Every structure is written in structure tokens, then in C-alpha cells.
Amino acid sequence: MTAATAKMNPIMDVSKTSPVRPAVLSAVRTLETENAGIDQLRAAIAGSLSNEFAGAVECLQNARGRVIVTGVGKSGHVGQKIAATFASTGTPAFFVHPTEASHGDLGMITPDDVLVVLSWSGETVELKNILTYSRRFAVPLIAITSGRNSALGQNADFVLELPRAKEACPHGLAPTTSTTMQLALGDCLAIALLEARGFTAHDFREFHPGGSLGASLKHVSDLMHTGESLPLVGPDENMDAALVTMTTKALGCLGIVDADGRLAGIITDGDLRRHMGPELLTRTAAQVMTKNPKTTGPDILASAALEMMNSARITTLFVVKDGRPVGLVHVHDFLRAGIV
């Protein structure tokens, strides 16, 4: 083995004093096997499944009701995640267990809904009543299965046929590659719908108001100081009066606005230190300010504004609209909101 090969494949680097542990080799084989399944799925969607996939997305997009996801066993667990992904990206969806459906929950499904049914074989006995119900009441049905000619495939309006890829389980028994492909295909459907509907980060935030994810999806307008709290003076303001405004507003900076109300410059603690001397209080704000300060807009994601501040190594950022200051954000505002 060459040095270059060893560098590209650190798992196989024989120059290491200790041998690679069997568990690590097993993990690498698992990932390689599942990755091969994803490659086959990608090729299928781009080729033989392209029309079925596009039709399924259009069916989901045109649904007047909700997306009902169902499946049994490991397929059911994957289905619950797919339903949650649909719901969080703007497509009303929930999971119905086939057994519960046979005991009354079929009443939750209407002809305005769309069924997404997961079954690797397509012959899962527990799905029989849902299939019968969907055909009786003309509920559109999308099948995610490896069996196009199975009972599920034959009753579906759209069949998203999964490649018969090798399972990562050495015995070929435990669903591994197959469930990875199911999950990936569910993500493909959800993201295609998201993009087709123009679902934005602002929309996403509406479904994720809590936790660090909700915090990262806040906009600058949600955090900024506005109105009378803004530290603003004109360019001809003497520094003795300007410092009073800067100290009173207590935001660590001072904005300088021209006669048209446009932001002309900013005075920070750093500017004060650079001009420190006996003549500081006799100068005007225009003589001390830094021209063309960095600014942001009110509709920018707060996380993006924080990245801008970190890159520029500044602690405050004026928010402008049409060149006029409408707000101000301080690094402490991001910390309070849980955005770090």
C-alpha cells in the first residue's frame, strides 16, 4: 500500500501500531453497503422511477386533505419519521398504524387525503384493510416498496419501487439498507414538496418555535431595538452632547444620520479610543465617526447576522431599510435569544 493510499483510507493504514478493531471494520462495511443502496436509489429516481416520482409529488401537492403515512414493523418506524418530516416542512401529515386503522382509525382517512404506504415486500397482511379502504373510497395511494407486482404495488396509484439492494446485515435479515432507502426516499418526497410550494425558512420557523432550532430561525426584526431606544444623532452634533446620547441609550454605539435620515456613520468605543484627547469633546460626530458601517436588513435570519458580526469582529449592527436605520442588534441580544 502506498503512502497516498493510506492517507485516503485511514482505516486501512497499516503503518499504525495497533490493528483496526473488528467493530470499526464492521461499521465501515455497513456504511459502504448502505451507501451502495442509496446510489442505486439515486440512479432509479433519475431514470426508471422519474415519472412515478414526479407523479407522486404532484399527487401530494394537489391533495386537499392530509398525507397519511402507514407501515408495519421497521417500515412503520420509518413511516413515523417521514410523517413528521412532511408535517414540519408544510405538508399536513400524520402516521396511522395499520392495526389501529382496522379497529376504527380508518375513519381518520378521507378521500381528500393521500396515503403513503411503506412495505418492503408489499405483501404485509396488516395492510389489507387499508388497501381495501383506499380502493373503495378512491383515496390516492403511493406505495414505497420493492415489490411492484405485490398486492400493495398492484393497488397503488404510484409505485416508488425500491432497488433490491444488499442488506448491511451479514445474514440479510435485519432491515438496514432497505430502511435507509425508505427513509431517504421519504426525505426526497418531503424536500421536493417543500421546494414546489416555495416553503421558506420563515415558514419553517412557524412549525419550530421552540429550542435552539426555533432560535436560529428568528429574524433580525425579532431581536432588534427600535424607536426611541435607537442611539442616533446628526453629523453636526458636538461630541459632548453625542456622548450623553450614546451613554443614555447604553447599546455601545452611536449612529450618525444625515439630513435625509440615512445612516452616514457609526461611533463605537473603538472610535472614542482612537480620538481620545483633550479635543474630543469639541469635535463633531462627523469628525469622529467611521463612515459606511456594516449594516443588515430586518428580514435577514438572525443566525446570518450573527455570523456577519463574528466575521467583522463587531458587537453591534445597525438594521437599515432604504438606507435608514430602523433598528439595532447587539451581540447580547443573540445570546439572550439562545443563538450562539
Side-chain angles (χ1 to χ4, degrees):
M1 179 184 298
T2 65
T5 303
K7 184 176 182 180
M8 292 174 60
N9 301 279
I11 294 297
M12 302 172 63
D13 188 354
V14 297
S15 66
K16 293 183 177 180
T17 57
S18 59
V20 179
R21 296 183 177 182
V24 175
L25 292 174
S26 174
V28 171
R29 284 195 301 270
T30 297
L31 292 175
E32 288 175 345
T33 303
E34 295 190 352
N35 186 61
I38 293 296
D39 286 341
Q40 292 180 52
L41 178 60
R42 179 173 60 244
I45 293 176
S48 60
L49 278 184
S50 60
N51 290 334
E52 290 278 343
F53 183 83
V57 171
E58 185 176 353
C59 177
L60 291 166
Q61 186 177 1
N62 292 334
R64 292 178 295 176
R66 301 144 304 174
V67 176
I68 314 299
V69 186
T70 189
V72 178
K74 304 299 186 295
S75 294
H77 294 310
V78 173
Q80 291 180 58
K81 190 275 177 186
I82 291 175
T85 301
F86 277 136
S88 68
T89 52
T91 299
F94 60 87
F95 179 83
V96 173
H97 195 282
T99 302
E100 298 298 332
S102 298
H103 291 272
D105 283 359
L106 282 174
M108 301 168 67
I109 306 172
T110 75
D112 290 335
D113 299 331
V114 175
L115 274 164
V116 176
V117 183
L118 289 83
S119 171
W120 177 252
S121 68
E123 299 290 350
T124 306
V125 175
E126 292 88 345
L127 294 174
K128 178 182 177 181
N129 290 333
I130 282 186
L131 298 184
T132 301
Y133 183 89
S134 73
R135 299 302 82 185
R136 178 183 177 188
F137 293 101
V139 182
L141 194 158
I142 298 169
I144 297 179
T145 179
S146 67
R148 176 174 290 275
N149 296 320
S150 65
L152 173 58
Q154 291 177 351
N155 282 282
D157 297 290
F158 300 94
V159 180
L160 302 181
E161 186 176 12
L162 297 167
R164 289 188 171 272
K166 179 182 177 183
E167 297 284 14
C169 169
H171 308 298
L173 299 175
T176 45
T177 306
S178 56
T179 49
T180 298
M181 290 190 296
Q182 286 179 331
L183 187 60
L185 185 52
D187 287 342
C188 290
L189 290 170
I191 298 305
L193 277 170
L194 178 153
E195 293 175 346
R197 289 173 169 159
F199 194 78
T200 66
H202 177 77
D203 298 321
F204 199 84
R205 180 195 162 202
E206 295 300 317
F207 298 106
H208 300 78
S212 59
L213 179 57
S216 67
L217 292 172
K218 288 182 180 292
H219 291 76
V220 169
S221 59
D222 297 318
L223 306 180
M224 68 185 188
H225 302 269
T226 61
E228 294 298 322
S229 64
L230 294 182
L232 301 172
V233 298
D236 298 327
E237 188 85 3
N238 285 333
M239 281 304 298
D240 56 351
L243 282 174
V244 173
T245 300
M246 184 174 176
T247 303
T248 302
K249 302 297 183 180
L251 289 173
C253 69
L254 185 67
I256 316 303
V257 292
D258 61 21
D260 293 326
R262 298 181 180 275
L263 187 67
I266 189 174
I267 295 176
T268 65
D269 292 337
D271 294 312
L272 295 178
R273 286 192 294 272
R274 283 188 289 273
H275 292 84
M276 188 63 68
E279 297 181 353
L280 173 62
L281 297 182
T282 64
R283 294 174 181 265
T284 64
Q287 293 173 318
V288 177
M289 73 180 186
T290 295
K291 297 180 180 180
N292 302 316
K294 289 186 178 296
T295 61
T296 188
D299 298 325
I300 300 298
L301 281 175
S303 55
L306 180 59
E307 174 61 28
M308 183 189 305
M309 294 170 69
N310 287 335
S311 298
R313 297 184 178 181
I314 57 178
T315 58
T316 55
L317 192 64
F318 267 101
V319 184
V320 300
K321 191 171 183 179
D322 298 327
R324 296 176 173 82
V326 294
L328 176 72
V329 285
H330 191 282
V331 67
H332 291 162
D333 300 321
F334 296 93
L335 294 174
R336 281 191 290 269
I339 305 171
V340 294

